[in-house]
Amino acid sequence: MLQICPSSSNLSVIFTMIILFTYLFYCLNGYCDSLPRPVYDQQSQFQSKIILNDGHEASAQQLGEYNASQVSIVREQLSDLSNSDAPSNNISIANNFGSKKFPQAIIIGVKKGGTRALLEFLRIHPDVRAVGSEPHFFDRFYDKGLEWYRNLMPRTLEGQITMEKTPSYFITKEAPRRVFSMSRHTKLIVVVRDPVTRAVSDYTQTLSKSPGLPSFQNLAFRNATTGLIDTSWSAVRIGIYAKHLENWLRFFPLSRLLFVSGERLVTDPAGEMGRVQDFLGLKRVVTDKHFYFNQTKGFPCLKKPEGSSRPRCLGKSKGRPHPQIPSEVLLRLRDFYRPFNLKFYQMTGHNFGWD
């Protein structure tokens, strides 16, 4: 009888088919998902998430250092995202390194007091994320709703705080109630300045945009002969700090507010920033090593950051030379503000020395 023995090639085919069918059987029953993946495959997935969600390809250095320091890569990606003013969708932390939150602290005033300088100084701090432009939500765009407002905010990680600044909130009657409705725990920062100097600075800014503006004294007085001050003019009205503060104290205790001296922010920026960081519960990272005084502009600038060719100063609109105002006009205005200043000192428990 003739015997047929299977060749070695046939045995290989049969063995391969047995392995293939066994693998398919286990995969169809869901066992393949539980198999461990190679480390390289896990890294590739994380890298593709960075590309898909951030919109920018991660650098070779970031990818190479991932195993050594995943947290540092996440913070670096978040910093790039949150320093951008462009709006983005409010999606989950799993997909976009952080979440959008309502601000825990707001710089609510005052115009021409030094709010922009304060915000820029604060943005040096790694645990502060702030909107670059002024949202004006609580005074102009409240009808757009809280979700619209939250979507304006940058993404933050655990331990970081979200901030914004809109100086007109301080003088807006409805703003305290609206902020309180969002969160009664919101911390409020008010940068104040000698109201006479502030009014002149306010006028100077308006004059630069409208060269045909009447003189300061014509706008400040209802009657130049009697010296009656026109409190309907916003440049004068803003400086009646005690009146505006009363409105905020109806909703927030004094402990939720910090009053920053606009004058000290110029003469001692590090000292005033120390108070601000303490109020916000932040480590004192922003110190005197970050500042130098710019003689041309007349206020402090931030020293040159690493990787930059020049220091950071506020724009041309800051530090404009003031027009000459007759001294008797300034004296009358100072007499007008004096009782309001004294009341403000009493309310805040701090003498700002404007008189």
Side-chain angles (χ1 to χ4, degrees):
M1 182 181 290
L2 181 64
Q3 281 188 323
I4 300 176
C5 295
S7 66
S8 60
S9 60
N10 289 337
L11 286 173
S12 298
V13 171
I14 294 169
F15 183 71
T16 301
M17 290 181 68
I18 291 172
I19 292 175
L20 180 62
F21 282 117
T22 302
Y23 177 79
L24 289 173
F25 172 80
Y26 275 91
C27 284
L28 288 172
N29 285 276
Y31 289 100
C32 292
D33 293 338
S34 64
L35 294 174
R37 296 181 182 180
V39 173
Y40 174 79
D41 184 48
Q42 294 174 11
Q43 286 185 333
S44 298
Q45 275 208 336
F46 180 79
Q47 293 167 12
S48 67
K49 283 184 180 181
I50 292 176
I51 296 170
L52 290 173
N53 294 321
D54 185 14
H56 300 85
E57 185 173 357
S59 67
Q61 181 181 1
Q62 286 174 323
L63 300 182
E65 293 174 355
Y66 169 65
N67 284 329
S69 179
Q70 297 182 28
V71 175
S72 64
I73 293 177
V74 171
R75 283 186 176 270
E76 188 168 345
Q77 294 291 330
L78 176 65
S79 177
D80 292 340
L81 283 167
S82 54
N83 283 331
S84 170
D85 293 338
S88 56
N89 293 327
N90 187 19
I91 53 183
S92 69
I93 186 171
N95 293 330
N96 274 274
F97 309 136
S99 58
K100 296 193 173 195
K101 301 173 185 175
F102 293 122
Q104 295 100 315
I106 304 176
I107 301 173
I108 61 173
V110 298
K111 180 184 178 184
K112 306 309 295 178
T115 58
R116 172 55 60 184
L118 176 61
L119 185 67
E120 291 307 309
F121 296 165
L122 274 170
R123 286 168 73 125
I124 302 172
H125 202 294
D127 290 332
V128 172
R129 293 290 177 261
V131 182
S133 56
E134 296 175 3
H136 282 282
F137 175 66
F138 295 106
D139 60 344
R140 298 180 189 172
F141 304 116
Y142 193 65
D143 59 339
K144 291 183 178 290
L146 285 169
E147 282 306 306
W148 177 87
Y149 181 55
R150 182 162 61 179
N151 276 329
L152 297 179
M153 299 300 126
R155 297 187 179 280
T156 53
L157 293 174
E158 190 68 31
Q160 294 178 321
I161 65 171
T162 305
M163 292 190 66
E164 70 115 315
K165 80 123 182 147
T166 305
S168 53
Y169 290 163
F170 188 60
I171 64 167
T172 301
K173 185 177 180 180
E174 300 80 13
R177 176 181 53 80
R178 291 171 175 177
V179 175
F180 182 84
S181 296
M182 178 189 71
S183 173
R184 67 182 63 193
H185 303 295
T186 308
K187 293 183 177 182
L188 309 168
I189 300 176
V190 190
V191 188
V192 289
R193 182 184 182 188
D194 182 337
V196 176
T197 310
R198 197 221 65 82
V200 176
S201 180
D202 197 336
Y203 171 77
T204 303
Q205 183 183 57
T206 308
L207 185 64
S208 69
K209 300 174 183 178
S210 306
L213 199 67
S215 68
F216 181 87
Q217 50 268 40
N218 285 346
L219 292 170
F221 297 110
R222 285 186 179 178
N223 189 313
T225 305
T226 61
L228 183 64
I229 303 295
D230 189 355
T231 55
S232 66
W233 185 33
S234 64
V236 170
R237 188 177 69 254
I238 291 171
I240 309 174
Y241 303 141
K243 178 182 176 182
H244 306 305
L245 180 56
E246 284 177 345
N247 195 26
W248 285 90
L249 292 179
R250 291 189 182 100
F251 293 88
F252 291 91
L254 196 61
S255 60
R256 305 305 298 181
L257 290 99
L258 177 71
F259 301 93
V260 176
S261 167
E263 287 82 10
R264 284 199 68 214
L265 204 56
V266 172
T267 60
D268 182 20
E272 208 66 359
M273 287 303 299
R275 292 181 61 238
V276 175
Q277 290 171 98
D278 291 347
F279 175 71
L280 295 174
L282 298 170
K283 183 179 177 181
R284 287 198 175 195
V285 171
V286 184
T287 61
D288 53 1
K289 70 180 181 181
H290 291 95
F291 302 100
Y292 79 96
F293 192 81
N294 186 306
Q295 297 290 345
T296 304
K297 284 185 170 289
F299 54 74
C301 295
L302 297 170
K303 290 182 179 177
K304 182 175 69 174
E306 290 185 20
S308 175
S309 59
R310 57 182 180 178
R312 288 167 52 191
C313 278
L314 298 179
K316 294 180 180 179
S317 63
K318 309 299 180 182
R320 296 187 188 94
H322 290 178
Q324 288 294 322
I325 309 293
S327 58
E328 61 270 18
V329 172
L330 298 179
L331 285 172
R332 284 185 180 182
L333 199 56
R334 195 163 296 283
D335 289 339
F336 165 78
Y337 278 123
R338 185 169 290 108
F340 296 108
N341 290 346
L342 294 175
K343 185 176 181 181
F344 184 65
Y345 299 165
Q346 186 179 36
M347 294 172 73
T348 61
H350 184 80
N351 186 337
F352 290 90
W354 298 324
D355 301 290

